[in-house]
Amino acid sequence: MLQNKIQDYSTEVENIHLDTAEQVEAFRLRFLVNKGIIRSLFEEFKTVSQEEKRILGKVLNEFKQLAEEKFKVAQERIGLSNTDEKSANLADLSLPGEGFNLGSRHPLSLVRKEIVEIFKKLGFIVAEGPEIEDDWHNFSALNFPPEHPARDMQDTFFIKKQEGNDIALRTHTSSVQVRMMEKGQPPFRAIMPGRVYRNEAISARAHCFFHQVEGLYVDEGVSFADLKQTLFHFVQELYGAETKVRFRPSYFPFTEPSAEMDISCTICGGTGCAMCKHTGWVEILGCGMVDPNVLENCGIDSKKYTGFAFGMGIERITNLKYEIKDLRLFSENDVRFLKQFETEII
Ligand code: DAH
């Protein structure tokens, strides 16, 4: 009779000792699995009369709860949290664990660090400024007259039109020069790394944001010879002693005279290749003597002090170092690209 069977099994469950993992597992296999006792009792329950069902349904459910509770309590007591027999029995604690993937520094961070280190050894400090700038710091103080076409040299992302002093994303790190000079008096010897923004269509050769390092040296008696020697030293440190430099006259509103500096092509060494468009030279930065107007705009006596400034794109320097041909790679976060560079624990 079903009722007697339930009674007997209930007594068994109540009295059974579940002290080891094996006993718990044996209990589970006997009572709780698909082909176990509880399931078979339910099968049998289907065959009894309606009358009996009314009484036995409750008894059978109580028995089921009793067995499940017994199992759960025993399992928790001996620390088996998983009912899955495979993981209970097969966890091999002697297997080696899964290793962590080490990150790597972004190539632009590596090169920025290298640039900073070279200038630090020459006594330059590192300065920073905001990425959201006003017209004064990004343009006017740097000798870009209002409405002057030189402002179109850089396509600007404007944030807010404000009578006489628009707010924009800085188009170059030259704005940090202004902030620095406004705050004190020479000597200034600083480099200013940072992100800049231009309203350009994104392609392999242009991006709407990139990174620059600005340099500024203002003191009494600073000359173009100082500028040349400093930048020559920088290039030799960064690209090697065999690297040559040349200066070409150029124009920037904030420097006079202004120049662009080329280096002998780092890829072909000057014999001509696709990177240098078969000229043997590649441009790496703009520079010049700080225009006296800029010094005066920042409250510095241009009769007493002179200075030089320069600005370079970190992406460009990096491309030449690692032969990267597509600017978009820098911001796509593709780990296959990123992990090719130095691996370090950060
Ligand atoms: N600000 C210039 C640019 O973004 C780069 C530059 C040129 C910076 C000459 C300078 C400089 O400080 O002297 O194109």
Side-chain angles (χ1 to χ4, degrees):
M1 272 252 308
L2 185 55
Q3 184 158 16
N4 291 345
K5 277 191 199 167
I6 298 173
Q7 195 54 54
D8 290 347
Y9 286 133
S10 294
T11 315
E12 180 185 336
V13 168
E14 270 162 15
N15 296 327
I16 204 164
H17 289 286
L18 301 180
D19 298 326
T20 66
E22 287 74 27
Q23 286 170 346
V24 174
E25 182 60 7
F27 179 86
R28 187 178 75 88
L29 293 174
R30 180 166 161 73
F31 287 100
L32 302 176
V33 293
N34 242 342
K35 290 194 176 125
I37 286 168
I38 292 177
R39 176 51 83 79
S40 76
L41 292 177
F42 272 93
E43 287 302 318
E44 200 174 328
F45 176 74
K46 286 183 194 159
T47 64
V48 301
S49 67
Q50 281 302 330
E51 191 104 340
E52 280 181 300
K53 273 189 180 140
R54 223 170 294 133
I55 309 158
L56 290 182
K58 186 166 175 268
V59 180
L60 184 52
N61 269 321
E62 277 169 4
F63 169 61
K64 182 172 174 248
Q65 274 170 16
L66 175 76
E68 284 173 352
E69 188 61 23
K70 180 101 187 181
F71 174 71
K72 201 170 141 230
V73 168
Q75 208 186 22
E76 276 166 12
R77 196 177 54 239
I78 57 177
L80 289 176
S81 59
N82 201 330
T83 49
D84 186 318
E85 65 182 299
K86 284 193 205 101
S87 61
N89 295 334
L90 299 182
D92 181 352
L93 301 180
S94 68
L95 283 174
E98 278 180 32
F100 289 103
N101 278 331
L102 281 189
S104 56
R105 282 193 202 267
H106 194 282
L108 293 177
S109 304
L110 285 175
V111 171
R112 184 193 54 213
K113 193 167 155 234
E114 239 181 297
I115 298 170
V116 166
E117 291 303 321
I118 295 171
F119 282 103
K120 267 190 177 168
K121 284 190 195 143
L122 295 177
F124 284 70
I125 61 161
V126 177
E128 283 180 351
E131 292 180 14
I132 297 176
E133 264 301 4
D134 52 22
D135 181 279
W136 170 254
H137 292 94
N138 197 78
F139 292 121
S140 297
L142 287 163
N143 206 28
F144 288 83
E147 314 300 335
H148 193 278
R151 288 177 184 240
D152 298 336
M153 284 166 79
Q154 301 166 352
D155 292 308
T156 311
F157 282 119
F158 288 99
I159 291 179
K160 206 159 104 193
K161 285 273 169 200
Q162 217 170 252
E163 194 54 45
N165 201 12
D166 297 337
I167 305 294
L169 292 177
R170 69 179 174 196
T171 58
H172 53 185
T173 42
S174 303
S175 53
V176 191
Q177 284 188 26
V178 178
R179 290 196 170 267
M180 181 167 210
M181 289 193 283
E182 277 177 341
K183 279 207 202 99
Q185 284 297 312
F188 298 112
R189 206 180 329 161
I191 49 165
M192 301 147 241
R195 181 174 288 180
V196 301
Y197 301 83
R198 294 199 193 165
N199 193 353
E200 304 237 12
I202 297 172
S203 71
R205 296 165 57 86
H207 212 294
C208 58
F209 68 83
F210 55 98
H211 301 82
Q212 290 187 329
V213 175
E214 187 83 8
L216 177 72
Y217 180 23
V218 182
D219 202 349
E220 285 179 52
V222 175
S223 73
F224 204 91
D226 298 317
L227 161 72
K228 283 173 90 173
Q229 182 54 36
T230 305
L231 293 178
F232 180 57
H233 170 80
F234 162 67
V235 163
Q236 298 231 310
E237 288 285 304
L238 191 69
Y239 290 112
E242 65 294 342
T243 318
K244 297 191 196 70
V245 299
R246 74 175 185 187
F247 290 81
R248 284 178 291 102
S250 185
Y251 170 75
F252 299 103
F254 34 92
T255 44
E256 182 58 36
S258 305
E260 271 164 332
M261 188 175 87
D262 298 343
I263 59 170
S264 50
C265 180
T266 51
I267 310 301
C268 64
T271 52
C273 68
M275 181 65 103
C276 59
K277 300 201 189 83
H278 300 280
T279 63
W281 295 95
V282 284
E283 185 206 315
I284 65 159
L285 54 79
C287 56
M289 300 306 292
V290 182
D291 192 298
N293 286 341
V294 176
L295 294 175
E296 295 293 337
N297 284 341
C298 300
I300 288 163
D301 182 355
S302 64
K303 303 248 167 16
K304 187 167 173 206
Y305 296 107
T306 52
F308 69 74
F310 56 88
M312 65 186 101
I314 305 181
E315 277 81 352
R316 177 132 190 89
I317 307 275
T318 309
N319 290 352
L320 291 171
K321 210 173 157 65
Y322 294 115
E323 287 182 57
I324 297 164
K325 298 198 176 69
D326 192 330
L327 270 180
R328 291 168 291 197
L329 285 166
F330 289 124
S331 48
E332 276 169 357
N333 274 342
D334 185 336
V335 286
R336 291 168 303 175
F337 170 73
L338 295 174
K339 75 177 177 202
Q340 296 174 89
F341 304 91
E342 177 214 53
T343 305
E344 270 184 32
I345 301 168
I346 299 174

